[in-house]
Amino acid sequence: MSLAVSMLASGSRGNCAIVASACTKILLDAGISCRETFKRMKTLGEDPRSLAAILITHEHSDHIYGLATLAKRLRIPVFMTGATHQAWARAMRDENGERPQMEKLERFESGHRFQVGDIEVRPFTIPHDAADPVGFTFRAEGMKVGFVTDLGYLPISVRDHLRGCDVLVMESNHDLEMLRVGPYPWAVKQRVMSRVGHLSNEALANFFINDYDNSATFVVLAHLSEQNNHPEIARREAERALATRGGLFHNRVLLASQSEALEPIRL
Ligand SMILES: [Zn+2]
Ligand SMILES: [Zn+2]
């Protein structure tokens, strides 16, 4: 009996993770190069050929940069929504002049669960400026993982999906004050802060204080901005918020990194 989460890369320069049961391994997003994905898997002792599928949250390049090469090399099913696939194909065609082929495309719809091996996947809509962005929960062997990054705020529907998770991977993108005084042009700052942008440390802390059910053994802070956040600030905010509800006794807070893979989180 096991369920494991491995954060291979997280942040605006590329996102990639693995969710694995004892018999099924899923790659979640393909935002770093194929070579780098394989390299990071190797450091964790993982064989890329053991992957059963690739799941894509949305078409922004930090989530799909390595997808075409990975799909070609691994020849495994790629799951995405129809709108995300179209947006991906359009972006790829703009670069190469022809429409890319996805050999084993599996379309899913937000709100409709599906199965990959023994892992049940539930995709749900998140507020973000992409064609059809989703977060996921994964269930296997009586355990649940919630995974949600790239969202401007946490609607009730998303908060509902995140109940009862044993591992919670959540965006802690920026510190509001660092973003405000930081180097981004005003238009970009506005986009990040908007309801379809990215989740701040403060918004995540509010969730922990007001809505979180204290269920997770591990809380992973993800998609941290390198310009507008600092790992220790994000950690301090999250731990302070979790402590207000006594949650720090139950939750271990981990930080996903852009530059290296985290040791797998095993349940
Ligand atoms: Zn992103
Ligand atoms: Zn995005």
Side-chain angles (χ1 to χ4, degrees):
M1 290 262 293
S2 72
L3 192 60
V5 179
S6 304
M7 303 295 295
L8 297 183
S10 185
S12 58
R13 287 189 291 115
N15 295 274
C16 192
I18 298 170
V19 177
S21 69
C23 43
T24 306
K25 220 170 269 176
I26 296 173
L27 194 72
L28 179 55
D29 278 336
I32 51 176
S33 70
C34 178
R35 179 197 293 221
E36 189 64 22
T37 305
F38 286 4
K39 195 172 121 193
R40 293 191 189 194
M41 286 187 74
K42 208 171 158 198
T43 64
L44 300 180
E46 300 272 13
D47 180 357
R49 285 168 304 182
S50 65
L51 289 167
I54 302 172
L55 268 59
I56 298 296
T57 57
H58 65 296
E59 76 280 13
H60 287 163
S61 68
D62 58 320
H63 298 260
I64 52 109
Y65 178 77
L67 177 61
T69 314
L70 274 163
K72 205 179 285 174
R73 290 278 299 276
L74 294 172
R75 296 170 161 258
I76 53 178
V78 175
F79 289 77
M80 44 186 163
T81 73
T84 297
H85 175 249
Q86 277 185 356
W88 171 79
R90 217 178 299 129
M92 294 289 288
R93 188 180 50 190
D94 287 349
E95 270 172 35
N96 308 328
E98 59 186 62
R99 214 175 165 80
Q101 292 302 312
M102 180 63 72
E103 211 178 298
K104 294 184 172 174
L105 175 66
E106 298 276 347
R107 288 193 184 83
F108 66 82
E109 271 178 63
S110 177
H112 295 262
R113 71 179 84 161
F114 58 93
Q115 202 77 27
V116 180
D118 67 339
I119 301 180
E120 186 199 87
V121 183
R122 292 189 192 206
F124 52 89
T125 296
I126 55 171
H128 189 54
D129 54 0
D132 190 14
V134 296
F136 291 109
T137 61
F138 303 92
R139 286 171 206 259
E141 304 183 26
M143 283 169 287
K144 180 177 176 186
V145 173
F147 206 110
V148 61
T149 68
D150 297 72
L151 72 176
Y153 70 105
L154 286 163
I156 292 172
S157 55
V158 171
R159 287 179 258 156
D160 280 346
H161 279 287
L162 299 180
R163 290 191 208 294
C165 288
D166 299 284
V167 177
L168 206 47
V169 180
M170 292 192 75
E171 173 160 51
S172 194
N173 181 260
H174 56 277
D175 173 83
L176 278 174
E177 193 49 33
M178 282 180 77
L179 177 65
R180 234 188 310 263
V181 300
Y184 281 12
W186 177 239
V188 179
K189 288 183 186 181
Q190 272 187 314
R191 187 225 145 210
V192 172
M193 275 191 277
S194 78
R195 303 229 335 145
V196 288
H198 290 276
L199 205 66
S200 67
N201 298 342
E202 290 85 346
L204 182 60
N206 269 334
F207 165 74
F208 286 142
I209 293 168
N210 298 312
D211 290 294
Y212 173 53
D213 64 1
N214 254 336
S215 60
T217 311
F218 296 95
V219 172
V220 184
L221 307 181
H223 216 298
L224 268 69
S225 166
E226 290 174 299
Q227 299 275 352
N228 306 306
N229 208 348
H230 188 284
E232 285 317 308
I233 294 177
R235 177 194 290 280
R236 197 181 58 212
E237 282 278 340
E239 288 186 343
R240 190 186 291 156
L242 288 165
T244 61
R245 306 206 30 204
L248 210 48
F249 297 112
H250 312 292
N251 304 254
R252 237 188 102 197
V253 177
L254 303 171
L255 284 142
S257 156
Q258 181 73 85
S259 56
E260 58 184 8
L262 277 197
E263 276 298 304
I265 299 157
R266 292 183 205 283
L267 287 168

